């Protein structure tokens, strides 16, 4: 449905939104949206780091122990 709107139609929609909400309110909304996106990205990154830390803690050392060399006396 939105793909059928011509470019001139988008311009009219943008002007109507600007008139209804005002420039300051739209700028504030965009700022809040930017903060929300950066907060979401930060949360995803922290989640990845927590999973990596958990994997590192759960990893087992499967290296066989070193054998003592027998010496002949």
């Amino acid at each position: 449905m939105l793909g059928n709107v011509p470019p001139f139609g988008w311009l009219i929609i943008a002007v109507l939104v600007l008139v209804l909400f005002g420039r300051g309110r739209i700028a504030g909304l965009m700022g809040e949206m930017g903060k929300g996106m950066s907060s979401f990205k930060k949360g995803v990154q922290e989640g990845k780091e927590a999973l990596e830390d958990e994997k590192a803690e759960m990893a087992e050392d499967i290296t066989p122990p070193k054998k003592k060399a027998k010496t002949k006396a």
Side-chain angles (χ1 to χ4, degrees):
M1 179 177 167
L2 291 178
N4 297 336
V5 179
F8 185 70
W10 284 112
L11 181 64
I12 292 172
I13 292 171
V15 169
L16 286 174
V17 168
L18 187 62
V19 168
L20 290 175
F21 294 107
R23 192 174 78 192
R25 191 166 184 191
I26 292 174
L29 289 173
M30 292 297 123
E32 291 296 320
M33 192 168 89
K35 288 177 186 177
M37 288 174 60
S38 62
S39 176
F40 176 76
K41 288 179 183 179
K42 182 180 176 183
V44 168
Q45 183 64 32
E46 288 175 356
K48 285 181 183 179
E49 290 173 358
L51 285 175
E52 291 295 324
D53 291 344
E54 187 176 314
K55 284 181 185 178
E57 289 175 5
M58 293 177 64
E60 290 184 40
D61 183 16
I62 57 172
T63 308
K66 292 183 179 180
K67 295 182 180 178
K68 292 184 180 178
K70 293 183 180 178
T71 57
K72 293 184 180 180

